[in-house]
């Protein structure tokens, strides 16, 4: 704009601004050139016709647009230099937002692509397995039928007759039945010692001492699927011979010709090692190979197989092999379960049947956090950019008053923000890669490693950069509209006007509507349960946070009235200055409070929701526990005979083996089909009363016997409208549909699970029907420990110790995945929100340099001004903590009452750490710029 004015004053031929319009500074030369140009245009139009005339008519418009662009570019360059500290705060916040969005896009993309690793079937060209998916179709209200899909927690087995059908398919060289059975291996000569030590004081690492190890039993025919090759000895020829792999031989100190003791689900038995095998690769579970006939006998399911490994004939492509197998095999097996042919990376699904189920449970949680991240990032970007533009309102109004057009000002502001946001998006996108890799390392597991294809980091970072760059400019243009839309005369008055104390009507109404919606959603959550309550609570928290951002000036006014009085009374002149400054700048104070409310509300909701559930589950599990001893064993579990041996030990009043499995419940929520997976306990009813008390509210737990009964949690029964004698349809772990009669209702479902079934019901549908632990009730209150150890001498790896509430909890108190989600949800996002606090308060402090100078000029001492700033920062931190806590309490109260029936709980130490982090961030953002850089001449120790 300035360049344009200068050209107008000198009579430049291209002058097109106010000077030419008013005839000022252009002289007759300009008018002469215009008339000459007009005559020439008329002559050319006569010669060339109307087309050429249209082109010349467009030239002035093009010149105007070019002038606007040059003026706005000039303004943008000068403003970036003049306000580099303010734009530095925007740059920091925008960079962090781009990095966070890119990192979450990276992790979500990696999780979507994740497949279980291929280990046992690495040498197979294809694997035939049962379909682990289960579906349920329902018709929502006023919509077409929809289908929900879930993965089953236990392995779906195939009929053994399919092995021959697969072998007969064209292009198949060999089809092998592949079963895997957990087994405990003990070197001969150490069996008794390992058993005794394992039952009492052994290391208890899932395999006992140095001579005992946990392994997987397979048939020697299936060794070709990995492939294993003999490095010593020969293949097993009889039921008494085995081949062990090199890792197992080293762990047990065994070699060819030595003897080992194997324990499957029965009594231990001695075997001769006929050979040692190796794969040439690291990793995987240690393996023991038996003859195919003997493995089928010890596996316990002779009519079915876990999977079928297929080796193709030479020259047969993968696609041709898949088509041939699909044509030879039936579409269905074992009722409604499909038969799947897996090739390539899909083969790992047959080795880890529940890996994709865990992925499907993690995806919605991570997706919810990603949505929150996106909302938080946009809110932070909007807040910082709006504040940066708002602090320049006087400057923009002055430019408008001296003749800058609204288009020039909007274009200049847009260019400034685009340059800052563009550079920040590039830097943030680069930082998203290491942050995404860190988050990926927290979520990856052995059954489900997260892949990183070459294109994924590029796609995630480009997506984040584009989103941030596109979001920044509209925010800046909207923030500047209040000034750029003024007439020049009105803008001259607005340049020196004080800050408006109230937000616009639309903003106020929108904030009030969102606040009402948030409170209403929290109220709805109190009448719901499960996933519906969690969704309602999440919506309530989001609505309330956005409402606080919109109603910031009103909230700041209320906070000033509440906190201003004690400030004036306790802090003298500095307190008076702090109170008056806050009262005069409600909009600025609201912008300072908003990021603190964001971080406090988000972190409190994330931490308190988990803590509330953990506390309620711990209390219920502790109240339910009646056993004083517990027997644990290797990771694969304890054989069925171990519980019987414990019951027969002297001094044992009751003992029940606990089999852990899972069920799937198909139901509808507001017409939408839902498939929910629930972990369950399988127990022995006649031993339950002495070891576990689920607090029965109706029915008799002694009736929990046979294969057709179930006990249901009281709240779940209410949701499903179930009572004693009613039937409920469940899908067991392997997909078998059963109709079970409700024989008891119990209260302690948070600690013990929503359903409790007889052990015999679950055993036939579990991948490995072994007890994870045995609960023991001593007749004399604990004196039976020695007798139990002696009774378990034949079971290597068994341990006896005092029972705790964690032993009977349906879910572990804290898993690696839970810890990872806490780090991601609280650490990463909370850290970003704290950075937003620092950036926003730093931006506000930098924009107050003129105010500080004015206070110094009218007589305020440097110490008084510094103290005023400290008090204002304390007011902002206290108000933000209080309002953020209130915003979190509303949805948390609804969640706790609906799910646990108790008040929400957050450990005081965690809240104290949060408050300290907020105080430090507020101090760093508000105070540091006042003592350094732009504020040195006002607040520094020297002028």
């Amino acid at each position: 704009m300035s360049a344009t004015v200068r050209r107008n004053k000198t009579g430049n031929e291209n002058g097109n601004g106010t000077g030419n319009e008013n005839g000022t500074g252009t002289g007759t030369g300009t008018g002469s050139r215009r008339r000459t140009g007009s005559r020439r245009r008329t002559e050319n139009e006569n010669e060339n016709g109307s087309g050429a005339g249209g082109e010349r008519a467009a030239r002035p418009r093009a010149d105007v647009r070019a002038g606007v662009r040059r003026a706005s570019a000039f303004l943008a360059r000068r403003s970036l230099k003049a306000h580099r500290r303010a734009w530095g705060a925007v740059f920091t916040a925008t960079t962090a937002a781009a990095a966070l969005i890119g990192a979450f896009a990276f992790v979500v993309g990696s999780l979507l692509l994740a497949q279980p690793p291929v280990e046992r079937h690495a040498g197979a060209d294809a694997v035939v397995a049962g379909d682990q998916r289960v579906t349920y179709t329902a018709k929502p209200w006023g919509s077409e039928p929809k289908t929900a899909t879930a993965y089953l927690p236990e392995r779906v087995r195939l009929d053994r007759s399919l092995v021959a059908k697969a072998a007969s398919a064209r292009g198949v060289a060999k089809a092998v039945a592949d079963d895997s059975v957990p087994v405990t291996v003990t070197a001969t000569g150490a069996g008794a010692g390992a058993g005794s030590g394992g039952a009492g004081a052994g290391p208890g690492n899932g395999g006992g001492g140095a001579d005992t190890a946990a392994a997987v039993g397979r048939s020697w025919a299936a060794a070709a699927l990995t492939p294993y090759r003999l490095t010593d000895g020969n293949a097993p020829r009889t039921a008494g011979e085995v081949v062990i792999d090199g890792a197992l031989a080293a762990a047990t100190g065994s070699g060819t010709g030595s003897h080992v003791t194997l324990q499957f689900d029965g009594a231990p038995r001695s075997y001769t090692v006929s050979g040692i095998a190796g794969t040439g690769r690291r990793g995987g579970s240690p393996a023991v190979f038996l003859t195919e006939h003997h493995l089928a006998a010890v596996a316990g399911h002779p009519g079915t197989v876990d999977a079928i490994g297929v080796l193709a004939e030479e020259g047969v492509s993968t696609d041709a092999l898949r088509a041939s197998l699909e044509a030879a095999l039936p579409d269905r097996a074992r009722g409604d379960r499909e038969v799947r042919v897996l090739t390539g990376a899909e083969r790992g699904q047959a080795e880890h049947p529940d890996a994709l189920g865990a992925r499907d449970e993690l995806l919605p949680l991570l997706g919810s956090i990603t949505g929150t991240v996106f909302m938080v990032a946009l809110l932070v970007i909007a807040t910082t950019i709006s504040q940066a533009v708002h602090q320049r309102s006087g400057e923009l109004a002055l430019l408008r008053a001296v003749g800058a057009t609204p288009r020039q000002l909007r274009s200049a502001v847009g260019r400034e923000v685009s340059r800052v946001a563009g550079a920040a998006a590039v830097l943030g996108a680069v930082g998203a890669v290491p942050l995404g890799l860190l988050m990926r390392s927290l979520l990856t597991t052995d059954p489900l490693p997260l892949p990183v294809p070459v294109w994924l980091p590029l796609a995630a970072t480009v997506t984040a950069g584009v989103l941030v760059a596109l979001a920044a400019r509209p925010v800046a243009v909207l923030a500047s509209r209040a000034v750029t839309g003024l007439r020049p005369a009105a803008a001259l008055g607005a340049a020196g006007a004080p800050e408006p104390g109230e937000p616009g009507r639309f903003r106020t109404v929108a904030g009030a509507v969102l606040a009402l919606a948030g409170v209403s959603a929290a109220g709805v959550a109190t009448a719901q349960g499960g996933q519906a309550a969690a969704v309602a609570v999440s919506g309530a928290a989001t609505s309330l946070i956005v409402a606080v951002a919109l109603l910031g000036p009103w909230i700041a006014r209320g906070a000033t009235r509440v906190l201003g009085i004690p400030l004036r009374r306790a802090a003298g002149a500095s307190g008076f200055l702090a109170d008056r400054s806050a009262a005069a700048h409600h909009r600025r104070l609201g912008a300072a409070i908003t990021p603190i409310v964001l971080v406090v509300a988000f972190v409190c909701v994330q931490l308190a929701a988990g803590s509330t559930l953990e506390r309620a589950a711990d209390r219920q599990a502790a109240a339910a526990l009646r056993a004083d001893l517990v027997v644990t064993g290797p990771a694969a579990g304890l054989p069925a005979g171990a519980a019987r041996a414990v019951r027969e030990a002297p001094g044992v009043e009751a003992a029940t083996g606990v089999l852990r499995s899972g069920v799937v419940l198909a139901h509808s929520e507001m017409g939408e089909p839902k498939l929910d997976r629930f972990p369950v306990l399988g127990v022995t009813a006649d031993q339950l009363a002495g070891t576990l008390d689920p607090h029965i509210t109706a029915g008799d737990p002694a009736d929990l016997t046979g294969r057709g009964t179930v006990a249901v949690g009281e709240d779940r029964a209410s949701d499903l409208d179930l009572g004693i004698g009613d039937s409920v349809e469940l899908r067991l772990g392997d997909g078998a549909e059963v109709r079970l009669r409700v024989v008891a209702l119990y209260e302690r479902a948070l600690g013990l699970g929503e359903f409790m079934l007889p052990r015999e019901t679950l055993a036939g549908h579990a991948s490995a029907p072994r007890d994870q632990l045995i609960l023991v009730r001593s007749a004399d209150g604990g004196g039976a420990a020695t007798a139990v150890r002696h009774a378990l001498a034949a079971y290597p790896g068994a341990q006896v110790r005092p029972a705790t509430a964690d032993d009977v909890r349906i879910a572990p108190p804290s898993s690696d995945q839970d810890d990872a989600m806490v780090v991601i949800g609280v650490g990463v996002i909370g850290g970003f929100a704290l950075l937003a606090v620092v950036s926003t308060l730093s931006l506000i402090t930098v924009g107050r340099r003129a105010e500080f100078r004015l206070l110094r000029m009218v007589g305020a001492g440097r110490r008084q001004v510094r103290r005023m700033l400290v008090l204002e920062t304390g007011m902002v931190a206290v108000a933000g903590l209080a309002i953020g806590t209130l915003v979190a309490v509303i949805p948390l109260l609804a969640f706790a009452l609906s799910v646990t029936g108790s008040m929400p709980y957050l450990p005081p130490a965690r809240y104290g750490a949060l408050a300290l982090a907020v105080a430090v961030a507020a101090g760093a953002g508000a105070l540091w710029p006042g003592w350094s850089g732009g504020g040195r001449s006002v607040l520094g120790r020297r002028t």
Side-chain angles (χ1 to χ4, degrees):
M1 191 274 296
S2 301
T4 304
V5 172
R6 287 198 297 269
R7 284 194 295 271
N8 291 340
K9 290 181 178 180
T10 59
N12 190 300
E13 188 172 352
N14 295 327
N16 50 23
T18 306
N20 279 340
E21 293 175 2
N22 298 331
T24 304
T26 57
T28 58
T30 301
S32 176
R33 282 190 291 270
R34 285 182 174 176
R35 288 191 293 272
T36 303
S38 178
R39 287 195 298 270
R40 289 175 180 172
R41 285 194 296 271
T42 302
E43 294 171 0
N44 290 335
E45 287 173 3
N46 293 334
E47 294 176 2
N48 301 329
S50 61
E55 293 178 3
R56 292 187 185 86
R59 288 177 184 171
R61 291 195 297 270
D63 291 342
V64 170
R65 289 194 295 269
V68 170
R69 287 194 295 270
R70 287 195 295 269
S72 61
F74 173 78
L75 289 173
R77 288 194 302 271
R78 296 298 298 270
S79 180
L80 281 173
K81 293 180 181 179
H83 303 284
R84 57 183 178 273
R85 285 188 174 272
W87 288 120
V90 174
F91 178 85
T92 301
T94 308
T95 299
L100 203 62
I101 293 174
F104 272 88
F106 180 100
V107 173
V108 171
S110 182
L111 189 60
L112 286 170
L113 297 172
Q115 290 284 348
V118 183
E119 297 172 345
R120 289 207 321 262
H121 300 140
D125 297 298
V127 178
V128 180
D131 190 3
Q132 293 291 140
R133 296 169 297 183
V134 62
T135 60
Y136 173 62
T137 302
K139 188 179 185 302
W141 302 331
S143 178
E144 296 297 322
K146 295 184 179 180
T147 300
T149 303
Y151 282 87
L152 296 167
E154 303 286 358
R155 181 182 295 280
V156 176
R157 294 190 171 97
L158 300 171
D159 193 274
R160 191 169 290 271
S161 63
L162 295 183
V163 178
K165 292 183 179 180
S168 65
R170 181 168 35 181
V172 173
K174 187 178 183 180
V176 180
D178 186 26
D179 287 315
S180 59
V181 184
V183 58
T184 302
V185 183
T186 306
T188 297
S196 177
N205 58 0
D211 297 321
T212 302
V216 174
R218 301 176 65 190
S219 71
W220 177 246
L225 303 177
T226 305
Y228 279 92
R229 292 181 175 82
L230 285 170
T231 59
D232 188 25
N234 52 267
R237 294 184 292 268
T238 66
E241 293 182 341
V242 295
V243 169
I244 61 176
D245 68 6
L248 193 57
T252 60
S254 303
T256 302
S258 62
H259 295 273
V260 292
T261 300
L262 305 184
Q263 186 169 44
F264 295 96
D265 198 28
R269 176 180 170 182
S270 179
Y271 292 81
T272 300
V273 177
S274 64
I276 308 295
T279 62
R281 296 194 311 271
R282 294 182 179 179
S285 301
V288 178
F289 297 97
L290 299 82
T291 63
E292 188 168 7
H293 178 75
H294 186 51
L295 180 71
V298 299
H301 50 88
T304 58
V305 296
D306 289 351
I308 303 171
V310 178
L311 301 177
E313 295 177 347
E314 188 175 353
V316 177
S317 66
T318 300
D319 292 339
L321 180 63
R322 178 194 286 270
S324 175
L325 287 169
E326 289 176 347
L329 296 171
D331 294 334
R332 304 279 175 175
R334 299 194 66 202
D336 65 341
R337 302 267 61 81
E338 293 184 3
V339 176
R340 298 188 64 202
V341 178
L342 308 174
T343 58
E346 295 178 335
R347 294 171 296 171
Q349 297 178 25
E351 301 181 28
H352 305 278
D354 193 36
L356 295 185
R359 185 191 69 177
D360 278 7
E361 290 181 346
L362 183 59
L363 268 174
L365 181 59
L366 190 60
S368 175
I369 295 178
T370 302
T372 303
V373 165
F374 189 68
M375 183 272 293
V376 170
L378 290 183
L379 188 60
V380 168
I381 292 173
T383 301
T384 53
I385 291 179
S386 297
Q387 183 62 28
V389 173
H390 176 72
Q391 289 181 175
R392 295 179 51 205
S393 295
E395 174 188 326
L396 294 174
L398 184 61
L399 289 171
R400 180 73 181 104
V402 299
T405 65
R407 178 182 293 182
Q408 285 176 326
L409 293 179
R410 287 195 296 267
S411 178
V413 172
R415 284 172 182 266
E416 289 180 62
V417 173
S418 295
R419 292 180 182 182
V420 173
V426 172
L427 183 60
V430 173
V433 176
L435 182 59
L437 289 173
L438 174 62
M439 293 165 58
R440 168 190 169 273
S441 68
L442 295 174
L443 293 176
T444 193
T445 60
D446 290 338
L448 193 68
L450 303 189
V452 185
V454 176
W455 57 267
L456 181 59
L458 180 62
T461 54
V462 169
T463 300
V466 170
L467 286 175
V468 169
L470 291 179
R473 182 159 184 153
V475 170
V477 173
L478 288 174
S480 64
R481 284 187 64 183
V483 177
T484 60
L486 296 175
R487 293 180 179 275
L492 188 60
E499 174 187 280
E502 298 179 1
R505 180 177 300 176
F506 175 79
R507 178 175 174 178
T508 301
V509 172
V513 170
L514 283 173
L516 182 61
V519 174
S520 300
V524 170
T526 58
Q528 297 177 331
Q531 187 67 21
V535 171
V537 166
S538 177
T542 302
S543 297
L544 290 173
I545 289 174
V546 177
V548 168
L550 293 175
L551 300 176
W554 292 107
I555 294 172
R557 174 176 293 184
T560 302
R561 290 178 178 177
V562 173
L563 300 176
I565 296 175
L567 275 182
R568 292 196 304 269
R569 292 179 177 177
S574 297
F576 175 82
L577 289 175
D579 176 47
R580 291 297 85 202
S581 175
H585 299 91
H586 292 148
R587 186 186 296 270
R588 183 181 71 196
L589 187 64
I593 291 174
T594 297
I596 297 180
V597 172
L598 174 65
V599 64
V600 172
F602 178 80
V603 173
C604 282
V605 168
Q606 292 294 319
L607 291 179
S611 298
T612 301
L613 285 176
E614 290 284 337
R615 191 186 194 199
D618 283 340
R619 287 181 171 181
Q620 290 191 6
L625 184 64
R626 292 291 179 267
D628 57 320
L629 297 174
V630 64
V631 179
T632 61
L638 293 162
R644 291 192 298 269
V646 171
R647 291 190 196 106
E648 296 171 357
V652 173
E653 180 180 322
T656 178
V658 177
L659 174 64
R660 294 183 182 270
S661 184
V663 297
V664 178
L665 173 67
H667 63 108
S668 298
E669 287 185 0
M670 294 183 293
E672 293 284 338
K674 299 290 183 181
L675 284 171
D676 293 332
R677 303 199 326 169
F678 295 103
V680 295
L681 300 179
V683 297
T684 306
D686 61 352
Q687 301 289 312
L688 187 62
T691 55
L692 200 62
D693 177 18
H695 195 192
I696 300 296
T697 58
D700 187 354
D703 296 333
L704 195 63
T705 58
R707 297 179 180 272
T709 60
V710 64
V712 185
E714 196 173 39
D715 292 338
R716 179 62 55 181
S718 177
D719 293 341
L720 300 176
D721 195 22
L722 295 175
I724 301 300
D726 293 335
S727 296
V728 58
E729 292 185 1
L730 296 175
R731 289 174 170 87
L732 298 180
D734 63 348
E737 295 188 27
V738 293
R739 178 179 288 271
L740 305 175
R741 180 171 56 90
V742 178
V743 297
L745 302 180
Y746 56 93
E747 183 179 299
R748 293 168 179 153
L750 277 178
L752 304 179
E754 301 288 352
F755 301 96
M756 193 176 296
L757 287 81
R759 187 187 186 283
E760 55 265 35
T761 301
L762 296 179
H765 303 275
S767 301
R770 289 189 165 197
D771 293 329
Q772 271 65 48
L773 53 88
I774 303 171
L775 298 175
V776 183
R777 175 76 173 182
S778 302
D780 55 357
T786 302
V788 171
R789 290 189 179 96
H790 286 299
L792 293 171
Y795 296 92
Q799 291 182 319
V800 180
R801 59 172 175 77
T804 65
D806 289 343
D807 294 324
V808 297
R809 274 193 56 172
I810 192 63
S814 180
S815 64
D816 292 341
Q817 190 177 88
D818 293 336
D819 294 340
M821 295 310 297
V822 169
V823 171
I824 292 173
V826 176
V828 177
I829 304 176
F832 167 70
L834 287 174
L835 180 62
V837 171
V838 175
S839 298
T840 303
L841 294 182
S842 175
L843 176 63
I844 291 173
T845 302
V846 168
R848 297 179 64 189
R849 288 176 297 177
E851 176 187 340
F852 295 151
R853 291 193 182 98
L854 180 60
L855 287 172
R856 292 284 290 119
M857 291 174 62
V858 298
R862 186 176 295 109
R863 180 176 297 178
Q864 287 179 322
V865 177
R866 285 201 299 263
R867 192 178 180 195
M868 177 199 76
L869 186 58
V870 170
L871 292 173
E872 283 190 60
T873 303
M875 179 189 294
V876 168
V878 171
L881 278 168
I883 298 168
T885 302
L886 178 62
V887 168
V889 163
I890 294 174
L892 282 173
L893 187 62
F895 173 77
L897 290 176
S898 64
V899 177
T900 68
S902 62
M903 299 298 291
Y905 171 73
L906 180 63
R910 292 187 177 182
Y911 188 83
L914 172 62
L916 178 61
V918 167
V920 171
L927 302 180
W928 176 252
W931 267 269
S932 63
R936 182 182 299 278
S937 61
V938 182
L939 302 180
R941 296 188 179 275
R942 296 181 181 179
T943 57

